[in-house]
């Protein structure tokens, strides 16, 4: 690979890694959609319990979101903190 | 906003999250003093009006929530929950004014989560009657599961803080990208997104943080 500096290569790979990390968003999306669908059914069956159902649904969705947030945090770290770059510079190569 | 202080030729940068945290605390303290003076002069024989009404609704809602989620025995945690909800709520809404919300800094959210974590551990200590019972509870249901129990306990504050941090931070990043991409045309699109990311998402995460804190604490106080 001529014409590409090592720093640019590391930055590019970090960007690709950040993009790949965001694939983690698929799981929470499906999970939260499922929870919302079930909550809709429950409200349809029992409209008087809407407050409780909404609260439980939001709580469950927040917990289901955790894995997606982990992916997001890794993507943010790769893009803005650039640990690989720091490691490379620290090696003094 | 960042502050730059020069003491004896040394420059000290005070990070914007610290400045904004102190700003939120000052705002809340002034509001509390104002509400206090209003309540002292209020006539208890008449129905509440104006600001007193709003504050009473808020306090009543939180009291009600704590009562239904944590039970009557843990009602003493209601002030703590209300404090944490007030702080996070105002901190998240600070994004509307153009300042960075303090909760988009990981150190702020992690310290908030650590408060809940230490309360949980102290309550566990109390309900399991001292160090022996506390340590023994990690070996249940059998000894091989000890590492999993310890990791499960330590993962609570991390996931709690990352949830708040990730939501507020990602909203901020998306808003910054939009503002820099659209330039002068940004005010056409951004009000709606401010409504979603700052108001809706911010208040939802506030509620969820309070709710999860309540669940962790009430889970620790059960025998």
């Amino acid at each position: 690979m001529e014409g590409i500096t090592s720093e640019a290569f590391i930055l590019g790979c970090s960007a690709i890694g950040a993009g790949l990390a965001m694939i983690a968003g698929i799981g929470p999306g499906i999970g939260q959609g499922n929870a919302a669908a079930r909550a809709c059914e429950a409200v349809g069956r029992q409209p008087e319990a809407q407050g409780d159902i909404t609260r439980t649904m939001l709580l469950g969705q927040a917990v289901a979101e955790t894995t997606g947030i982990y992916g997001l945090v890794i993507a943010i770290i790769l893009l803005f903190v650039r640990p690989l770059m720091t490691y490379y510079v620290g090696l003094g190569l | 906003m960042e502050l730059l202080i020069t003491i004896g030729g040394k420059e000290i940068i005070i990070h914007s999250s610290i400045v904004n945290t102190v700003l939120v605390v000052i705002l809340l303290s002034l509001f509390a003093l104002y509400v206090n003076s209003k309540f002292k002069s209020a006539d208890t024989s008449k129905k509440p009006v104006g600001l007193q009404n709003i504050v009473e609704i808020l306090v009543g809602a939180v009291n009600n929530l704590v009562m239904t989620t944590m039970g009557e025995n843990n009602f003493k945690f209601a002030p703590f929950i209300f404090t944490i909800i007030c702080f996070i709520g105002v901190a998240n809404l600070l994004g509307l004014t153009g300042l960075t919300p303090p909760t988009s800094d990981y150190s702020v959210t992690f310290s908030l989560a650590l408060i809940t974590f230490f309360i949980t551990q102290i309550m566990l200590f109390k309900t399991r009657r001292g160090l022996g019972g506390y340590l023994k509870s990690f070996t249940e249901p059998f000894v091989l599961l000890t590492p999993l129990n310890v990791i499960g306990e330590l993962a609570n504050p991390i996931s709690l803080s990352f949830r708040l941090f990730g939501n507020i931070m990602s909203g901020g990043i998306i808003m910054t990208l939009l503002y820099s991409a659209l330039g002068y045309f940004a005010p056409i699109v951004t009000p709606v997104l401010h409504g979603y990311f700052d108001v809706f998402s911010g208040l939802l995460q506030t509620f969820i943080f309070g709710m999860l804190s309540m669940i962790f604490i009430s889970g620790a106080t059960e025998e």
Side-chain angles (χ1 to χ4, degrees):
Chain A
M1 285 187 293
E2 283 176 28
I4 300 180
T5 60
S6 307
E7 283 87 357
F9 184 68
I10 290 176
L11 280 182
C13 284
S14 293
I16 293 173
L20 287 178
M22 286 315 292
I23 293 176
I26 294 175
I30 295 172
Q32 290 184 331
N34 265 337
R38 297 291 163 162
C40 284
E41 283 174 19
V43 171
R45 223 178 291 128
Q46 241 181 331
E48 68 273 7
Q50 196 190 8
D52 283 343
I53 292 169
T54 312
R55 211 164 64 203
T56 319
M57 179 195 78
L58 285 178
L59 198 65
Q61 287 186 333
V63 176
E65 203 183 27
T66 312
T67 49
I69 295 288
Y70 287 161
L72 172 75
V73 167
I74 288 173
I76 287 174
I77 288 175
L78 276 178
L79 278 183
F80 294 105
V81 188
R82 296 178 199 142
L84 301 178
M85 197 71 176
T86 329
Y87 180 65
Y88 177 73
V89 173
L91 278 180
L93 295 173
Chain B
M1 50 190 168
E2 282 184 345
L3 286 182
L4 201 70
I5 299 174
T6 320
I7 301 172
K10 268 190 179 180
E11 283 193 336
I12 301 170
I13 300 172
I14 298 180
H15 201 257
S16 63
S17 67
I18 297 172
V19 178
N20 291 347
T21 308
V22 174
L23 187 73
V24 170
V25 171
I26 290 173
L27 278 178
L28 280 174
S29 310
L30 288 179
F31 182 71
L33 287 175
Y34 179 65
V35 167
N36 200 14
S37 69
K38 274 254 170 177
F39 266 55
K40 269 181 183 158
S41 62
D43 190 358
T44 44
S45 60
K46 285 183 189 157
K47 61 182 177 189
V49 283
L51 182 69
Q52 190 191 353
N53 209 353
I54 297 170
V55 174
E56 279 189 13
I57 289 172
L58 284 176
V59 174
V62 172
N63 278 354
N64 205 358
L65 196 67
V66 172
M67 194 68 108
T68 49
T69 326
M70 298 173 79
E72 210 160 321
N73 294 332
N74 294 323
F75 192 64
K76 56 176 184 280
F77 287 109
F80 164 66
I81 301 293
F82 193 50
T83 312
I84 223 167
I85 283 178
C86 277
F87 177 75
I88 300 175
V90 175
N92 289 349
L93 289 179
L94 209 63
L96 286 176
T97 62
L99 300 169
T100 0
T103 35
S104 66
D105 189 329
Y106 185 59
S107 52
V108 175
T109 57
F110 189 60
S111 40
L112 285 170
L114 272 187
I115 299 173
T116 304
F117 176 70
F118 279 116
I119 290 180
T120 314
Q121 295 310 311
I122 290 168
M123 292 319 287
L124 275 178
F125 218 81
K126 274 187 183 170
T127 47
R128 286 162 187 179
R129 296 194 185 78
L131 190 62
Y134 174 74
L135 290 179
K136 192 173 176 294
S137 70
F138 284 109
T139 61
E140 281 164 3
F142 51 91
V143 185
L144 275 181
L145 286 180
T146 312
L148 278 182
N149 284 335
V150 173
I151 291 172
E153 203 62 44
L154 289 179
N156 280 345
I158 293 173
S159 71
L160 195 62
S161 54
F162 266 143
R163 189 173 298 123
L164 183 59
F165 164 74
N167 273 287
I168 306 301
M169 175 84 180
S170 60
I173 288 178
I174 292 170
M175 294 310 291
T176 314
L177 286 177
L178 265 177
Y179 273 117
S180 58
L182 294 177
Y184 290 112
F185 301 103
I188 304 170
V189 193
T190 44
V192 187
L193 290 168
H194 267 300
Y196 177 72
F197 285 120
D198 287 335
V199 181
F200 176 71
S201 180
L203 292 182
L204 187 67
Q205 291 309 315
T206 311
F207 168 72
I208 282 165
F209 194 97
M211 199 75 188
L212 285 174
S213 301
M214 281 192 267
I215 287 173
F216 288 152
I217 295 171
S218 68
T221 50
E222 275 164 13
E223 294 280 325

